Amino acid sequence: MVVVNVSVAIVALAAASSVLSAAAPVSPVRLRGGLVKRAGVVKGPVLNTDFPDPGILLPNGQAPWYAYSTSSSHGRVPYATSQDFNTWSLRGDALPNPGSWVSSSNSGIWAPDVRQITSTKYVMYYTGFSASNNNHCIGAATSSTPSGPFTPQSAPILCNAGAGGVIDASGFQAPGGQLYLVWKVDGNSKGQPTPIFIQPLASDGFTLTGSATQMITSEAVDGGIVEAPSLVYWSGWYYLFFSSNSYNSLAYDISYAVSQSATGPYRKVQAPNAPLLTSGKCGTAGPGGATVINVLGAFILFPRSPAERILFESDADQYVNAAFHSDINGQNAGGGRAMWQISGLTLNNGVATIIC
């Protein structure tokens, strides 16, 4: 980690971008260097309606926040906004048309994740059921605004019918600016393992380049399933958050693996430091489908000046927020899954901690 003093960090941040809000939407974490980072606070439900697998976004580092969910009665990809990362309101459907490649008889969209690529370009990664191969594939759609409507690419960007399909895509930007796609192979549809992979993306945010690397895979302790990956960087460590066990049971949870390289190798964190959330903790039931973002890291995308890189890698005034879902009926997904959140998730030397 690069160490800078607070006064230098403030000057560099002011020079880094003219779009950073003077008033942060939530209190920022102070610069490390002997100062104490606040604990991650779990709160919910913040949307007490069916809003599963929430993905979150803070466009240009300024409120309003955006959250996107799996299909429900609220739309193909319902979205909500918040000015303070506390009170949320449903707004509409960000992806009314998922593309001609999506089956018309099975047109639900799963686990959308939206990332800002430039100041006027947003990419949504989502899962749909392919009309041509009868498996889940990952699609991408673009918009000039975070509210959309997003325009889909004419074909999915990733399919793996032989392994059972692919699902749960999320984006990630590493220090230095490289974009990645992270996803799960849907092997449980064929009674097979469910490895999670990472692969570089081109600067357009949706064209896969290079080769895929396996990050982790499911084991007996995971109930045979790992899914819903979300990758975040903090102070030299990469944290891969994921859910394990069946989504429709109280065994569903949020856990994580760590590495000091974006592509791994990754080590699943064990008790007592993981899982991060299990049923009953903080009043949750079947917590899962989390999206975790490093707010300032997600904001500093364009351009990547030396001052911005210093701030990114020093963690100056950064904070990590997350959203996840929890069963409304306290038993299973049958009653819908409400959105919950974590403000200021604590990440330190490969360990994530929260308070209720």
Side-chain angles (χ1 to χ4, degrees):
M1 179 178 75
V2 179
V3 178
V4 295
N5 64 46
V6 174
S7 60
V8 172
I10 292 173
V11 172
L13 179 57
S17 173
S18 62
V19 299
L20 182 60
S21 171
V26 295
S27 299
V29 173
R30 294 172 294 171
L31 180 66
R32 292 169 186 248
L35 298 179
V36 177
K37 182 179 184 295
R38 70 179 186 277
V41 179
V42 178
K43 179 182 177 181
V46 293
L47 267 177
N48 197 19
T49 187
D50 195 23
F51 202 86
D53 307 312
I56 53 175
L57 176 72
L58 184 63
N60 292 316
Q62 301 181 40
W65 289 81
Y66 283 74
Y68 308 84
S69 97
T70 286
S71 294
S72 71
S73 60
H74 302 299
R76 193 68 58 73
V77 174
Y79 77 95
T81 62
S82 173
Q83 290 293 333
D84 57 5
F85 202 70
N86 283 297
T87 302
W88 293 84
S89 300
L90 287 168
R91 296 299 183 191
D93 191 341
L95 188 70
N97 171 25
S100 59
W101 64 269
V102 175
S103 170
S104 59
S105 60
N106 189 356
S107 58
I109 298 302
W110 288 267
D113 183 63
V114 177
R115 301 288 163 149
Q116 186 170 11
I117 305 303
T118 71
S119 59
T120 57
K121 182 179 181 180
Y122 299 83
V123 175
M124 177 188 291
Y125 311 107
Y126 61 95
T127 298
F129 198 76
S130 170
S132 64
N133 64 36
N134 295 320
N135 283 277
H136 288 119
C137 292
I138 292 168
T142 59
S143 174
S144 61
T145 68
S147 58
F150 283 76
T151 301
Q153 298 297 300
S154 59
I157 62 172
L158 184 65
C159 288
N160 190 346
V166 288
I167 196 168
D168 291 350
S170 63
F172 173 69
Q173 185 196 24
Q178 177 62 57
L179 301 174
Y180 290 92
L181 187 71
V182 182
W183 74 91
K184 165 207 171 185
V185 173
D186 207 23
N188 51 300
S189 66
K190 292 191 171 185
Q192 300 295 321
T194 61
I196 290 172
F197 283 88
I198 185 171
Q199 187 168 347
L201 289 165
S203 59
D204 62 12
F206 57 80
T207 300
L208 288 162
T209 65
S211 57
T213 302
Q214 181 175 304
M215 305 171 83
I216 60 172
T217 192
S218 55
E219 301 172 87
V221 69
D222 305 306
I225 300 173
V226 290
E227 60 185 20
S230 183
L231 183 61
V232 67
Y233 170 84
W234 182 280
S235 192
W237 290 83
Y238 296 82
Y239 296 77
L240 175 66
F241 290 88
F242 62 92
S243 289
S244 56
N245 300 290
S246 170
Y247 79 94
N248 198 27
S249 76
L250 291 180
Y252 207 48
D253 61 22
I254 301 172
S255 197
Y256 61 102
V258 294
S259 176
Q260 293 186 285
S261 167
T263 56
Y266 280 81
R267 169 182 58 85
K268 291 180 185 176
V269 179
Q270 304 297 321
N273 295 321
L276 182 70
L277 268 175
T278 56
S279 289
K281 187 173 183 179
C282 301
T284 62
T291 296
V292 183
I293 63 170
N294 177 321
V295 178
L296 187 58
F299 150 65
I300 296 180
L301 297 171
F302 36 84
R304 297 306 303 272
S305 70
E308 289 173 329
R309 292 192 188 98
I310 289 172
L311 285 170
F312 188 99
E313 295 180 8
S314 69
D315 299 335
D317 290 330
Q318 294 184 64
Y319 48 96
V320 177
N321 284 358
F324 64 96
H325 69 238
S326 177
D327 297 338
I328 293 174
N329 64 13
Q331 301 175 20
N332 52 48
R337 291 162 285 174
M339 187 173 89
W340 289 53
Q341 66 186 39
I342 305 172
S343 299
L345 177 63
T346 300
L347 304 177
N348 183 37
N349 199 31
V351 176
T353 55
I354 55 174
I355 61 174
C356 301

